[in-house]
Amino acid sequence: MKLHQATHQDFEKVKNAYIDIINNTPNMEQHARWVYGKHPTDEIIQSYIEEQAMYFLEHDAEVAAVMALTMSQSEDYHDIH
């Protein structure tokens, strides 16, 4: 496995990983309330990439995990228990 800092060339693979996670996580609305296009959006992912805050873990040429390491928290997360 290898950890990468995402670049603009990685946008599609990061985006597709988020979509896959959302579509395959039971009870997503309870855990993170992600709905692609609402959160995260293409613009959010691109801003994380521009800020050099987006990372992904790759295993055998497949994205195994994605994460944004930021110093702020969206208001949407304040209500999650």
Side-chain angles (χ1 to χ4, degrees), residues 1-76:
M1 285 196 212
K2 186 170 181 183
L3 183 65
H4 302 274
Q5 185 175 43
T7 66
H8 290 289
Q9 290 82 11
D10 300 312
F11 171 75
E12 286 298 322
K13 90 170 66 167
V14 170
K15 171 185 170 175
N16 291 334
Y18 270 106
I19 292 169
D20 188 52
I21 291 165
I22 291 166
N23 290 339
N24 292 292
T25 301
N27 302 313
M28 175 57 78
E29 66 279 357
Q30 291 177 331
H31 300 297
R33 295 185 296 192
W34 288 354
V35 175
Y36 201 86
K38 193 172 185 181
H39 185 84
T41 64
D42 290 354
E43 293 79 16
I44 289 171
I45 292 171
Q46 289 171 339
S47 72
Y48 289 153
I49 291 171
E50 287 175 18
E51 295 166 10
Q52 299 180 330
M54 179 61 70
Y55 293 83
F56 64 97
L57 187 65
E58 197 168 41
H59 179 68
D60 293 336
E62 297 283 329
V63 175
V66 292
M67 65 185 142
L69 300 174
T70 65
M71 297 303 292
S72 62
Q73 184 179 43
S74 168
E75 287 294 322
D76 292 343

